[in-house]
Amino acid sequence: MIAANTYWTRLGLLLLITQDVLQYVSSFAAKGNNPSLAAFDRFSAKCPADIDSVRQFGTRFVKEFDSQNKEVIWVTVFRSNNNLPSVIREDFFSAMQIATNIEEPSTQPSTQFTDKIESYGGNQTPVAVARLRPLDAQQNSGWIMDCMQCSLKKETQDPNCDGGSEHTEALGVCVDELIKHHLSIRRDIQFAGSIKCKATIVSAKVLEARGFGEYDKLGKDMISHISSSDALIKYSERLCDVQGVCANNPQIRDRTLQIISLLGKSDDDKEGGSTGEENNEADDDYDPWASVKKFY
């Protein structure tokens, strides 16, 4: 009994100390005393994502054909282990709640305690999802990005986040991951005009910051935006902004660099193909005996 009380006393002290430290770090970073404290990788993404992880976010978003069609790509975004101090504190409280519900504690954590903690970290629910699917497989009319959903509050603002809040940053991670996956497996296509999107008021700002333009045609698919050639310029501007999110967030910076590289390769392939066609047409019009015919 004494060992059990000692065990819970140590956990209680650890909880109090951790709470004070996290509150200090959060207030210290909020005051802007050290910009490096704001350089957290808030989110981690998985693309292509497993359908089961998408169902954890919401079953109404997953259709029956999503699991059967290999062309349908989902992305899930999770809170990272390097998230904001307030998020780490909430996760710590949840883990402590699991620990306090265990009966008959001992000096060493039991197998039941370990299994519950592992299941808590392993079955993490996504905070944002998005889907990229063929718009019309029969007509081969490109792809559509839809189901961009985020469970985080839009009203909670944070100037250190991409777009001004965790909600917009999580949606931005979804868009970036789908674009990166799309360009990496389909290098023979032209990016401009290949992806259409169904956006809301919030996600529209995320898309426009990445070079998507407004779609001026009405249809049953309710498309609002379409990819354009400005994507390379927009991503380059994000990378070159010394006070932007790419300067303080290494994860966003690396993802932006990969997208810029893929967009550059796509443009190079397109220009190389057009140059080859022009050279072939010039070769067809060239007459090697033109200089000799004038003497006959």
Side-chain angles (χ1 to χ4, degrees):
M1 186 67 182
I2 298 176
N5 292 333
T6 305
Y7 175 72
W8 290 115
T9 302
R10 291 179 179 178
L11 284 178
L13 291 174
L14 179 61
L15 173 62
L16 293 175
I17 295 173
T18 306
Q19 181 178 0
D20 293 338
V21 171
L22 291 176
Q23 287 178 351
Y24 173 76
V25 172
S26 179
S27 61
F28 189 76
K31 294 178 181 179
N33 294 325
N34 190 352
S36 63
L37 292 177
F40 289 100
D41 294 337
R42 294 180 179 84
F43 303 102
S44 60
K46 185 175 181 181
C47 183
D50 187 67
I51 294 295
D52 293 334
S53 63
V54 181
R55 288 195 178 99
Q56 290 183 2
F57 182 87
T59 55
R60 63 188 180 93
F61 299 108
V62 182
K63 306 298 181 181
E64 294 182 359
F65 64 88
D66 287 355
S67 58
Q68 300 175 358
N69 191 350
K70 296 182 180 180
E71 296 292 330
V72 177
I73 304 299
W74 280 94
V75 57
T76 52
V77 176
F78 304 88
R79 287 193 182 277
S80 175
N81 293 330
N82 297 327
N83 213 309
L84 293 175
S86 60
V87 178
I88 301 176
R89 183 180 59 198
E90 293 173 359
D91 293 344
F92 187 78
F93 284 155
S94 300
M96 289 298 300
Q97 185 177 5
I98 294 174
T100 54
N101 291 332
I102 299 174
E103 299 179 355
E104 298 180 358
S106 59
T107 55
Q108 295 182 354
S110 62
T111 305
Q112 184 182 7
F113 176 82
T114 306
D115 293 341
K116 286 190 176 183
I117 295 297
E118 289 180 354
S119 63
Y120 167 77
N123 297 330
Q124 189 179 7
T125 303
V127 297
V129 297
R131 179 179 64 177
L132 183 67
R133 61 178 176 84
L135 184 59
D136 192 345
Q138 296 179 354
Q139 298 180 2
N140 193 20
S141 54
W143 290 264
I144 181 170
M145 187 185 301
D146 57 2
C147 293
M148 289 183 284
Q149 300 290 331
C150 182
S151 61
L152 301 176
K153 294 182 179 179
K154 298 185 287 291
E155 297 79 11
T156 304
Q157 300 295 312
D158 187 351
N160 294 321
C161 294
D162 185 11
S165 68
E166 285 190 332
H167 181 94
T168 55
E169 182 169 329
L171 290 178
V173 173
C174 291
V175 175
D176 291 341
E177 288 291 336
L178 288 177
I179 290 177
K180 185 177 69 172
H181 180 78
H182 179 76
L183 293 173
S184 60
I185 65 174
R186 301 183 179 94
R187 299 186 178 182
D188 57 340
I189 65 169
Q190 183 178 355
F191 179 73
S194 63
I195 299 180
K196 300 177 177 65
C197 305
K198 296 171 64 175
T200 61
I201 297 176
V202 178
S203 59
K205 297 180 180 179
V206 176
L207 294 171
E208 291 171 0
R210 287 158 175 79
F212 282 78
E214 294 183 357
Y215 193 69
D216 55 358
K217 297 180 181 180
L218 297 177
K220 62 179 181 179
D221 294 317
M222 301 296 292
I223 296 172
S224 61
H225 290 75
I226 187 172
S227 58
S228 67
S229 57
D230 295 336
L232 182 60
I233 299 176
K234 290 293 185 180
Y235 275 103
S236 300
E237 291 176 350
R238 286 168 54 84
L239 183 64
C240 296
D241 188 2
V242 294
Q243 297 181 349
V245 292
C246 291
N248 297 323
N249 193 314
Q251 189 179 47
I252 296 179
R253 181 173 61 250
D254 293 341
R255 190 185 300 115
T256 303
L257 282 171
Q258 294 178 22
I259 294 176
I260 290 175
S261 176
L262 292 171
L263 287 172
K265 291 179 181 178
S266 177
D267 291 342
D268 291 342
D269 295 339
K270 182 180 63 175
E271 293 177 359
S274 61
T275 304
E277 293 177 356
E278 292 176 357
N279 291 335
N280 292 333
E281 293 177 358
D283 292 339
D284 294 338
D285 297 336
Y286 176 71
D287 186 3
W289 302 101
S291 60
V292 181
K293 287 180 179 179
K294 61 183 180 179
F295 297 104
Y296 295 93

PDB file of all heavy atoms in Angstrom, residues 58-76:
ATOM      1  N   GLY A  58     -14.564  10.413 -39.659  1.00  0.00           N
ATOM      2  CA  GLY A  58     -16.003  10.489 -39.925  1.00  0.00           C
ATOM      3  C   GLY A  58     -16.384   9.491 -40.998  1.00  0.00           C
ATOM      4  O   GLY A  58     -15.803   9.498 -42.098  1.00  0.00           O
ATOM      5  N   THR A  59     -17.344   8.643 -40.701  1.00  0.00           N
ATOM      6  CA  THR A  59     -17.733   7.610 -41.660  1.00  0.00           C
ATOM      7  C   THR A  59     -18.510   8.169 -42.840  1.00  0.00           C
ATOM      8  O   THR A  59     -18.553   7.563 -43.903  1.00  0.00           O
ATOM      9  CB  THR A  59     -18.587   6.547 -40.951  1.00  0.00           C
ATOM     10  OG1 THR A  59     -19.709   7.190 -40.318  1.00  0.00           O
ATOM     11  CG2 THR A  59     -17.776   5.831 -39.880  1.00  0.00           C
ATOM     12  N   ARG A  60     -19.130   9.322 -42.668  1.00  0.00           N
ATOM     13  CA  ARG A  60     -19.960   9.858 -43.750  1.00  0.00           C
ATOM     14  C   ARG A  60     -19.143  10.362 -44.923  1.00  0.00           C
ATOM     15  O   ARG A  60     -19.680  10.603 -46.000  1.00  0.00           O
ATOM     16  CB  ARG A  60     -20.842  10.985 -43.227  1.00  0.00           C
ATOM     17  CG  ARG A  60     -20.077  12.203 -42.717  1.00  0.00           C
ATOM     18  CD  ARG A  60     -21.015  13.180 -42.035  1.00  0.00           C
ATOM     19  NE  ARG A  60     -20.332  14.365 -41.528  1.00  0.00           N
ATOM     20  CZ  ARG A  60     -20.199  15.489 -42.205  1.00  0.00           C
ATOM     21  NH1 ARG A  60     -20.699  15.576 -43.430  1.00  0.00           N
ATOM     22  NH2 ARG A  60     -19.572  16.523 -41.697  1.00  0.00           N
ATOM     23  N   PHE A  61     -17.814  10.534 -44.730  1.00  0.00           N
ATOM     24  CA  PHE A  61     -16.974  11.023 -45.817  1.00  0.00           C
ATOM     25  C   PHE A  61     -16.499   9.898 -46.733  1.00  0.00           C
ATOM     26  O   PHE A  61     -16.106  10.143 -47.866  1.00  0.00           O
ATOM     27  CB  PHE A  61     -15.764  11.771 -45.255  1.00  0.00           C
ATOM     28  CG  PHE A  61     -16.122  12.962 -44.428  1.00  0.00           C
ATOM     29  CD1 PHE A  61     -15.960  12.943 -43.054  1.00  0.00           C
ATOM     30  CD2 PHE A  61     -16.639  14.099 -45.015  1.00  0.00           C
ATOM     31  CE1 PHE A  61     -16.299  14.036 -42.282  1.00  0.00           C
ATOM     32  CE2 PHE A  61     -16.987  15.203 -44.253  1.00  0.00           C
ATOM     33  CZ  PHE A  61     -16.818  15.169 -42.890  1.00  0.00           C
ATOM     34  N   VAL A  62     -16.508   8.671 -46.242  1.00  0.00           N
ATOM     35  CA  VAL A  62     -15.961   7.548 -46.993  1.00  0.00           C
ATOM     36  C   VAL A  62     -17.080   6.870 -47.772  1.00  0.00           C
ATOM     37  O   VAL A  62     -18.086   6.455 -47.198  1.00  0.00           O
ATOM     38  CB  VAL A  62     -15.269   6.538 -46.057  1.00  0.00           C
ATOM     39  CG1 VAL A  62     -14.655   5.403 -46.866  1.00  0.00           C
ATOM     40  CG2 VAL A  62     -14.204   7.235 -45.228  1.00  0.00           C
ATOM     41  N   LYS A  63     -16.900   6.781 -49.074  1.00  0.00           N
ATOM     42  CA  LYS A  63     -17.854   6.102 -49.934  1.00  0.00           C
ATOM     43  C   LYS A  63     -17.386   4.665 -50.177  1.00  0.00           C
ATOM     44  O   LYS A  63     -16.231   4.314 -49.949  1.00  0.00           O
ATOM     45  CB  LYS A  63     -18.014   6.839 -51.261  1.00  0.00           C
ATOM     46  CG  LYS A  63     -18.377   8.313 -51.112  1.00  0.00           C
ATOM     47  CD  LYS A  63     -19.709   8.505 -50.409  1.00  0.00           C
ATOM     48  CE  LYS A  63     -20.052   9.980 -50.292  1.00  0.00           C
ATOM     49  NZ  LYS A  63     -21.339  10.197 -49.587  1.00  0.00           N
ATOM     50  N   GLU A  64     -18.307   3.842 -50.675  1.00  0.00           N
ATOM     51  CA  GLU A  64     -17.976   2.435 -50.906  1.00  0.00           C
ATOM     52  C   GLU A  64     -16.916   2.273 -51.993  1.00  0.00           C
ATOM     53  O   GLU A  64     -16.049   1.418 -51.908  1.00  0.00           O
ATOM     54  CB  GLU A  64     -19.241   1.660 -51.281  1.00  0.00           C
ATOM     55  CG  GLU A  64     -20.266   1.566 -50.155  1.00  0.00           C
ATOM     56  CD  GLU A  64     -21.473   0.765 -50.558  1.00  0.00           C
ATOM     57  OE1 GLU A  64     -21.500   0.307 -51.726  1.00  0.00           O
ATOM     58  OE2 GLU A  64     -22.381   0.592 -49.723  1.00  0.00           O
ATOM     59  N   PHE A  65     -16.974   3.131 -53.018  1.00  0.00           N
ATOM     60  CA  PHE A  65     -16.031   2.965 -54.120  1.00  0.00           C
ATOM     61  C   PHE A  65     -14.641   3.482 -53.770  1.00  0.00           C
ATOM     62  O   PHE A  65     -13.691   3.237 -54.516  1.00  0.00           O
ATOM     63  CB  PHE A  65     -16.543   3.682 -55.376  1.00  0.00           C
ATOM     64  CG  PHE A  65     -16.651   5.169 -55.237  1.00  0.00           C
ATOM     65  CD1 PHE A  65     -15.556   5.992 -55.518  1.00  0.00           C
ATOM     66  CD2 PHE A  65     -17.820   5.758 -54.827  1.00  0.00           C
ATOM     67  CE1 PHE A  65     -15.650   7.367 -55.399  1.00  0.00           C
ATOM     68  CE2 PHE A  65     -17.919   7.137 -54.712  1.00  0.00           C
ATOM     69  CZ  PHE A  65     -16.833   7.933 -54.986  1.00  0.00           C
ATOM     70  N   ASP A  66     -14.498   4.204 -52.636  1.00  0.00           N
ATOM     71  CA  ASP A  66     -13.186   4.730 -52.278  1.00  0.00           C
ATOM     72  C   ASP A  66     -12.197   3.609 -51.977  1.00  0.00           C
ATOM     73  O   ASP A  66     -11.019   3.695 -52.339  1.00  0.00           O
ATOM     74  CB  ASP A  66     -13.297   5.654 -51.062  1.00  0.00           C
ATOM     75  CG  ASP A  66     -13.936   6.987 -51.424  1.00  0.00           C
ATOM     76  OD1 ASP A  66     -14.183   7.205 -52.627  1.00  0.00           O
ATOM     77  OD2 ASP A  66     -14.185   7.792 -50.521  1.00  0.00           O
ATOM     78  N   SER A  67     -12.658   2.569 -51.297  1.00  0.00           N
ATOM     79  CA  SER A  67     -11.765   1.467 -50.947  1.00  0.00           C
ATOM     80  C   SER A  67     -11.498   0.540 -52.122  1.00  0.00           C
ATOM     81  O   SER A  67     -10.539  -0.235 -52.090  1.00  0.00           O
ATOM     82  CB  SER A  67     -12.374   0.666 -49.790  1.00  0.00           C
ATOM     83  OG  SER A  67     -13.664   0.170 -50.140  1.00  0.00           O
ATOM     84  N   GLN A  68     -12.304   0.611 -53.171  1.00  0.00           N
ATOM     85  CA  GLN A  68     -12.135  -0.262 -54.321  1.00  0.00           C
ATOM     86  C   GLN A  68     -11.367   0.409 -55.455  1.00  0.00           C
ATOM     87  O   GLN A  68     -10.689  -0.261 -56.219  1.00  0.00           O
ATOM     88  CB  GLN A  68     -13.510  -0.722 -54.829  1.00  0.00           C
ATOM     89  CG  GLN A  68     -14.319  -1.484 -53.783  1.00  0.00           C
ATOM     90  CD  GLN A  68     -15.705  -1.826 -54.275  1.00  0.00           C
ATOM     91  OE1 GLN A  68     -16.094  -1.477 -55.392  1.00  0.00           O
ATOM     92  NE2 GLN A  68     -16.480  -2.535 -53.437  1.00  0.00           N
ATOM     93  N   ASN A  69     -11.483   1.718 -55.564  1.00  0.00           N
ATOM     94  CA  ASN A  69     -10.824   2.450 -56.646  1.00  0.00           C
ATOM     95  C   ASN A  69      -9.440   2.893 -56.192  1.00  0.00           C
ATOM     96  O   ASN A  69      -9.302   3.679 -55.246  1.00  0.00           O
ATOM     97  CB  ASN A  69     -11.668   3.662 -57.050  1.00  0.00           C
ATOM     98  CG  ASN A  69     -11.175   4.299 -58.328  1.00  0.00           C
ATOM     99  OD1 ASN A  69     -10.101   3.962 -58.841  1.00  0.00           O
ATOM    100  ND2 ASN A  69     -11.946   5.227 -58.866  1.00  0.00           N
ATOM    101  N   LYS A  70      -8.406   2.421 -56.845  1.00  0.00           N
ATOM    102  CA  LYS A  70      -7.036   2.775 -56.481  1.00  0.00           C
ATOM    103  C   LYS A  70      -6.678   4.205 -56.875  1.00  0.00           C
ATOM    104  O   LYS A  70      -5.684   4.740 -56.400  1.00  0.00           O
ATOM    105  CB  LYS A  70      -6.055   1.797 -57.149  1.00  0.00           C
ATOM    106  CG  LYS A  70      -6.197   0.367 -56.665  1.00  0.00           C
ATOM    107  CD  LYS A  70      -5.174  -0.540 -57.336  1.00  0.00           C
ATOM    108  CE  LYS A  70      -5.321  -1.973 -56.842  1.00  0.00           C
ATOM    109  NZ  LYS A  70      -4.319  -2.872 -57.490  1.00  0.00           N
ATOM    110  N   GLU A  71      -7.482   4.815 -57.755  1.00  0.00           N
ATOM    111  CA  GLU A  71      -7.224   6.186 -58.167  1.00  0.00           C
ATOM    112  C   GLU A  71      -7.658   7.202 -57.112  1.00  0.00           C
ATOM    113  O   GLU A  71      -7.268   8.364 -57.179  1.00  0.00           O
ATOM    114  CB  GLU A  71      -7.951   6.486 -59.490  1.00  0.00           C
ATOM    115  CG  GLU A  71      -7.453   5.659 -60.671  1.00  0.00           C
ATOM    116  CD  GLU A  71      -6.035   6.036 -61.066  1.00  0.00           C
ATOM    117  OE1 GLU A  71      -5.665   7.200 -60.862  1.00  0.00           O
ATOM    118  OE2 GLU A  71      -5.310   5.164 -61.570  1.00  0.00           O
ATOM    119  N   VAL A  72      -8.462   6.779 -56.155  1.00  0.00           N
ATOM    120  CA  VAL A  72      -8.932   7.673 -55.095  1.00  0.00           C
ATOM    121  C   VAL A  72      -7.862   7.731 -54.001  1.00  0.00           C
ATOM    122  O   VAL A  72      -7.487   6.706 -53.428  1.00  0.00           O
ATOM    123  CB  VAL A  72     -10.271   7.199 -54.517  1.00  0.00           C
ATOM    124  CG1 VAL A  72     -10.708   8.104 -53.363  1.00  0.00           C
ATOM    125  CG2 VAL A  72     -11.331   7.171 -55.604  1.00  0.00           C
ATOM    126  N   ILE A  73      -7.378   8.933 -53.715  1.00  0.00           N
ATOM    127  CA  ILE A  73      -6.308   9.134 -52.738  1.00  0.00           C
ATOM    128  C   ILE A  73      -6.844   9.976 -51.581  1.00  0.00           C
ATOM    129  O   ILE A  73      -7.402  11.056 -51.788  1.00  0.00           O
ATOM    130  CB  ILE A  73      -5.081   9.818 -53.373  1.00  0.00           C
ATOM    131  CG1 ILE A  73      -4.582   9.017 -54.564  1.00  0.00           C
ATOM    132  CG2 ILE A  73      -3.978   9.995 -52.343  1.00  0.00           C
ATOM    133  CD1 ILE A  73      -4.125   7.608 -54.230  1.00  0.00           C
ATOM    134  N   TRP A  74      -6.658   9.464 -50.371  1.00  0.00           N
ATOM    135  CA  TRP A  74      -7.013  10.194 -49.158  1.00  0.00           C
ATOM    136  C   TRP A  74      -5.752  10.638 -48.436  1.00  0.00           C
ATOM    137  O   TRP A  74      -4.707   9.983 -48.516  1.00  0.00           O
ATOM    138  CB  TRP A  74      -7.829   9.302 -48.215  1.00  0.00           C
ATOM    139  CG  TRP A  74      -9.278   9.177 -48.572  1.00  0.00           C
ATOM    140  CD1 TRP A  74      -9.856   8.200 -49.328  1.00  0.00           C
ATOM    141  CD2 TRP A  74     -10.334  10.056 -48.173  1.00  0.00           C
ATOM    142  NE1 TRP A  74     -11.206   8.414 -49.430  1.00  0.00           N
ATOM    143  CE2 TRP A  74     -11.536   9.540 -48.727  1.00  0.00           C
ATOM    144  CE3 TRP A  74     -10.395  11.211 -47.410  1.00  0.00           C
ATOM    145  CZ2 TRP A  74     -12.766  10.157 -48.529  1.00  0.00           C
ATOM    146  CZ3 TRP A  74     -11.624  11.826 -47.208  1.00  0.00           C
ATOM    147  CH2 TRP A  74     -12.787  11.300 -47.771  1.00  0.00           C
ATOM    148  N   VAL A  75      -5.851  11.736 -47.728  1.00  0.00           N
ATOM    149  CA  VAL A  75      -4.773  12.203 -46.856  1.00  0.00           C
ATOM    150  C   VAL A  75      -5.363  12.465 -45.476  1.00  0.00           C
ATOM    151  O   VAL A  75      -6.472  12.998 -45.353  1.00  0.00           O
ATOM    152  CB  VAL A  75      -4.093  13.478 -47.412  1.00  0.00           C
ATOM    153  CG1 VAL A  75      -5.088  14.595 -47.618  1.00  0.00           C
ATOM    154  CG2 VAL A  75      -2.953  13.924 -46.498  1.00  0.00           C
ATOM    155  N   THR A  76      -4.646  12.037 -44.459  1.00  0.00           N
ATOM    156  CA  THR A  76      -5.046  12.296 -43.074  1.00  0.00           C
ATOM    157  C   THR A  76      -3.944  13.087 -42.382  1.00  0.00           C
ATOM    158  O   THR A  76      -2.759  12.832 -42.593  1.00  0.00           O
ATOM    159  CB  THR A  76      -5.293  10.980 -42.313  1.00  0.00           C
ATOM    160  OG1 THR A  76      -4.151  10.124 -42.465  1.00  0.00           O
ATOM    161  CG2 THR A  76      -6.527  10.276 -42.845  1.00  0.00           C
TER     162      THR A  76
END
